[in-house]
Amino acid sequence: MSTIFSPFELGNLTLKNRAIRAGCFEGMCQNGKVTEALIEHHENLAKGGIAMTTVAYCSVNFEGRAFDHELWMREEILSDLKQLTEAVHKAGGYASIQLGHCGFFTNKNVIQQQPLGASPKWCMFMLSKCRSMTEEDIEATTEDFVRASVQARDAGFDAIEIHAGHGYLLSQFLSPWTNKRKDRFGGPLSNRLNFPVEVIRRIREKLGPDFPILVKMNQEDGMPEGIQLDDAIQIAQAFEQAGASAIIPSSGFTSKVPFLMLRGNLPVKEMVANQNSLVKKIGLKLFGHFMVPKHKYQALFQLDGAKQIQDAIKIPVIYIGGIESKKDMETTLKNGFPLFQLGRVTIQNPNFINEVYNGELSESPCDHCNRCVAAMDAGGVYCVSNIKGFIN
Ligand SMILES: Cc1cc2nc3c(=O)[nH]c(=O)nc-3n(C[C@H](O)[C@H](O)[C@H](O)COP(=O)(O)O)c2cc1C
């Protein structure tokens, strides 16, 4: 039997196989609440054979959100989250949750205040400018990360995934593109690491030595002024020292090069159709192809950088990016990654792992049209090609 289906120990968990569902924003949390659709989505993934599913982007506080249909961690939703984790456990899987903060690309209409960031910066997608976080803001947000992590564990999550990549707040501090500070949180990488490292360190202290703390980060931001692979190696080492259980190296900056983490088609037409704001609709229609750069897709597109990070640290690196077949999953394992995350292939087919296990499938028909990305903000993520009959 393929090693894909052999167990792996991560902290206090024994994952039944090597496949973890990547955090893929579901767009199913209207008013920031857990819905039946969200529970069913993750229950289906667990039924489909994945060892651990990941509830995508959950803000650690009210101020960290870009959308109204995003979760934010609070007492009020814990019993509903508990229902979700119970449903996943009953279906035979573990549940993880991605915790983060959008920083300078939070939506001022949703959070009813000026967005916060490492340094003042204009966001062309949100049409707003953030203010620089004070030391008090940084301390309060660090504590929000800790509280949210404890609440996630109390709601039955088996692991948490801290979002320190994709241009979210913690990566805004890491990246020289967004961090122009002159204090102990800005300047050299050792300073830019201070806030994210303190977040991980305090969560580890609070959750004890064995609770799995996964950290998603960038192996490259995607622009010359941003994080490059040599910085990423040092960042991964610092996160390991701070207490991370595993690193997930991805790439891209949501507000600048959002499709670097995905590669493939740019679904500009669908993004325009799903946009509520007329100004943004017109902006995207006219300038979408200039505002959002396109990146060529290839299978296993993060492999080389991820390998260099794996060589530099002792904790597991969880491979993510462009896995589309049984052969790709086996290639990641052969390259020394003990675990991998799957995004689009499991949006296209939540039963992907079971079907590979049963020998019914060896390759996903997902064609990286990326229309699922546009769909997630229009009522909930789904494979548009499946519905329109382009696939299967
Ligand atoms: C619809 C969709 C939503 C996504 N939302 C998130 C998200 O909320 N957080 C995150 O870290 N990555 C998000 N991603 C990126 C995936 O986690 C992953 O990095 C990317 O899809 C590459 O993996 P894949 O080739 O297996 O799809 C999203 C991807 C898709 C397709």
Side-chain angles (χ1 to χ4, degrees):
M1 169 148 5
S2 166
T3 35
I4 300 169
F5 304 104
S6 63
F8 185 79
E9 283 181 21
L10 182 68
N12 57 6
L13 304 179
T14 304
L15 295 151
K16 67 180 175 190
N17 60 43
R18 309 305 180 91
I20 300 176
R21 157 60 177 248
C24 290
F25 185 54
E26 305 87 354
M28 296 173 183
C29 298
Q30 283 64 28
N31 303 316
K33 296 204 168 136
V34 178
T35 56
E36 283 300 322
L38 185 78
I39 297 177
E40 201 182 315
H41 185 77
H42 288 284
E43 188 180 11
N44 283 340
L45 283 156
K47 282 183 183 160
I50 212 104
M52 180 156 77
T53 187
T54 307
V55 172
Y57 193 79
C58 171
S59 177
V60 296
N61 60 23
F62 180 83
E63 301 84 35
R65 294 172 304 144
F67 303 102
D68 188 43
H69 53 281
E70 237 170 65
L71 278 183
W72 86 95
M73 189 56 92
R74 59 205 192 280
E75 191 65 38
E76 187 192 334
I77 63 165
L78 295 190
S79 61
D80 291 340
L81 282 176
K82 215 167 177 42
Q83 270 192 46
L84 185 152
T85 56
E86 279 167 6
V88 169
H89 293 156
K90 213 165 145 207
Y94 286 129
S96 175
I97 186 165
Q98 197 175 53
L99 298 171
H101 187 298
C102 289
F104 94 103
F105 65 87
T106 49
N107 185 332
K108 64 180 187 310
N109 299 321
V110 171
I111 64 170
Q112 294 151 32
Q113 56 189 280
Q114 188 181 8
L116 298 174
S119 306
K121 190 156 189 71
W122 169 253
C123 178
M124 68 177 169
F125 288 108
M126 292 301 176
L127 305 176
S128 63
K129 189 175 177 186
C130 72
R131 75 167 170 80
S132 178
M133 286 173 84
T134 62
E135 288 237 5
E136 290 73 33
D137 294 324
I138 293 172
E139 172 57 27
T141 309
T142 304
E143 278 304 302
D144 284 335
F145 268 98
V146 177
R147 174 196 38 76
S149 304
V150 171
Q151 286 175 318
R153 183 200 56 192
D154 294 348
F157 283 97
D158 307 286
I160 54 165
E161 182 177 310
I162 300 301
H163 211 327
H166 293 178
Y168 284 82
L169 179 67
L170 298 180
S171 65
Q172 290 165 28
F173 271 74
L174 292 170
S175 180
W177 187 66
T178 33
N179 186 342
K180 312 281 182 207
R181 299 173 75 98
K182 302 272 180 267
D183 61 2
R184 69 186 181 92
F185 297 101
L189 180 59
S190 55
N191 278 5
R192 287 181 274 124
L193 271 163
N194 277 335
F195 176 28
V197 157
E198 185 61 8
V199 165
I200 297 166
R201 197 193 63 73
R202 276 199 224 172
I203 295 173
R204 170 58 70 211
E205 195 175 85
K206 199 77 178 183
L207 295 184
D210 298 329
F211 191 86
I213 303 172
L214 284 49
V215 183
K216 193 166 184 175
M217 56 168 275
N218 276 359
Q219 49 171 287
E220 54 160 342
D221 288 344
M223 54 277 193
E225 323 87 297
I227 291 296
Q228 313 293 339
L229 185 58
D230 51 345
D231 308 305
I233 289 170
Q234 293 178 57
I235 293 169
Q237 288 169 331
F239 288 172
E240 174 177 37
Q241 273 208 336
S245 313
I247 299 289
I248 308 153
S250 184
S251 55
F253 228 76
T254 301
S255 58
K256 176 89 172 162
V257 277
F259 281 80
L260 188 63
M261 69 191 79
L262 294 153
R263 323 275 162 118
N265 179 54
L266 267 190
V268 173
K269 200 171 98 205
E270 288 79 5
M271 280 155 64
V272 171
N274 295 339
Q275 190 50 254
N276 294 329
S277 147
L278 187 62
V279 178
K280 289 186 194 168
K281 221 180 186 41
I282 294 169
L284 259 179
K285 195 173 170 80
L286 293 177
F287 306 113
H289 284 283
F290 305 102
M291 285 163 74
V292 186
K294 194 172 169 175
H295 307 274
K296 195 168 175 297
Y297 181 90
Q298 79 183 67
L300 303 178
F301 55 82
Q302 311 268 20
L303 197 67
D304 293 343
K307 261 163 71 176
Q308 292 192 47
I309 293 176
Q310 179 69 92
D311 288 345
I313 59 178
K314 292 193 185 64
I315 53 173
V317 166
I318 301 177
Y319 180 78
I320 191 168
I323 293 181
E324 53 192 40
S325 63
K326 181 177 183 194
K327 187 166 149 264
D328 291 341
M329 294 190 276
E330 282 170 344
T331 303
T332 63
L333 299 175
K334 279 190 196 128
N335 273 281
F337 305 102
L339 296 162
F340 51 82
Q341 289 198 343
L342 302 171
R344 285 163 290 186
V345 297
T346 55
I347 293 174
Q348 193 275 324
N349 178 7
N351 209 30
F352 179 72
I353 287 294
N354 274 348
E355 290 180 20
V356 172
Y357 180 80
N358 294 332
E360 294 160 31
L361 191 73
S362 59
E363 196 165 342
S364 164
C366 170
D367 59 358
H368 359 104
C369 76
N370 290 330
R371 285 177 294 176
C372 51
V373 177
M376 73 190 182
D377 289 324
V381 74
Y382 66 95
C383 174
V384 177
S385 294
N386 272 354
I387 300 291
K388 296 208 167 148
F390 292 125
I391 282 179
N392 292 335

